[in-house]
Amino acid sequence: QVQLKESGGALVQAGGSLRLSCTASGLTFNSYAMGWFRQAREFVAGILWSDLTYYADSVKGRFTISRDNASDTVYLQMNSLKPEDTGVYYCAAPSKSHFNPLGVPRFYDHWGQGTQVTVSS
């Protein structure tokens, strides 16, 4: 059974930074693409098994996705935060290894419970 557990959400002032973490279990982590979304299934960032990354235009240059295969964890470093970045952030994974879900929510089959990020102005 695949489980994804996010952490790191908090209240932060505009211009500040946060790092979110998502630890996975029940899958061969280093063979899977991973993604970060925020509420209403808005794509934020994705990373492939090859470490190729891609981002939504709204976060390019401010957010960085990375992965640590040794600890089965994917990270989202968020800098220069804006009030419009507020929301519940979810990590997600597809059900197939070596499959690129292209940031399309319906291609991701496993979702975490989310972590709240609030950016105050």
Side-chain angles (χ1 to χ4, degrees), residues 32-60:
Y32 282 77
M34 299 294 295
W36 283 99
F37 292 79
R38 53 194 181 195
Q39 58 191 50
R41 297 293 194 256
E42 177 191 356
F43 172 73
V44 174
I47 186 166
L48 300 186
W49 54 92
S50 60
D51 285 342
L52 180 71
T53 59
Y54 47 101
Y55 299 90
D57 287 344
S58 59
V59 306
K60 279 181 184 175

Side-chain angles (χ1 to χ4, degrees), residues 2-92:
V2 175
Q3 292 189 328
L4 303 174
K5 175 69 173 176
E6 303 94 337
S7 61
L11 170 64
V12 63
Q13 287 190 333
S17 298
L18 278 178
R19 189 176 81 156
L20 306 183
S21 301
C22 171
T23 301
S25 61
L27 74 170
T28 306
F29 183 77
N30 61 10
S31 297
Y32 282 77
M34 299 294 295
W36 283 99
F37 292 79
R38 53 194 181 195
Q39 58 191 50
R41 297 293 194 256
E42 177 191 356
F43 172 73
V44 174
I47 186 166
L48 300 186
W49 54 92
S50 60
D51 285 342
L52 180 71
T53 59
Y54 47 101
Y55 299 90
D57 287 344
S58 59
V59 306
K60 279 181 184 175
R62 300 188 298 123
F63 291 10
T64 303
I65 187 171
S66 62
R67 65 191 301 155
D68 178 7
N69 292 332
S71 62
D72 293 351
T73 301
V74 59
Y75 300 99
L76 185 68
Q77 177 67 43
M78 305 187 294
N79 299 329
S80 302
L81 282 161
K82 304 175 181 179
E84 51 264 43
D85 294 320
T86 293
V88 179
Y89 282 70
Y90 302 88
C91 71

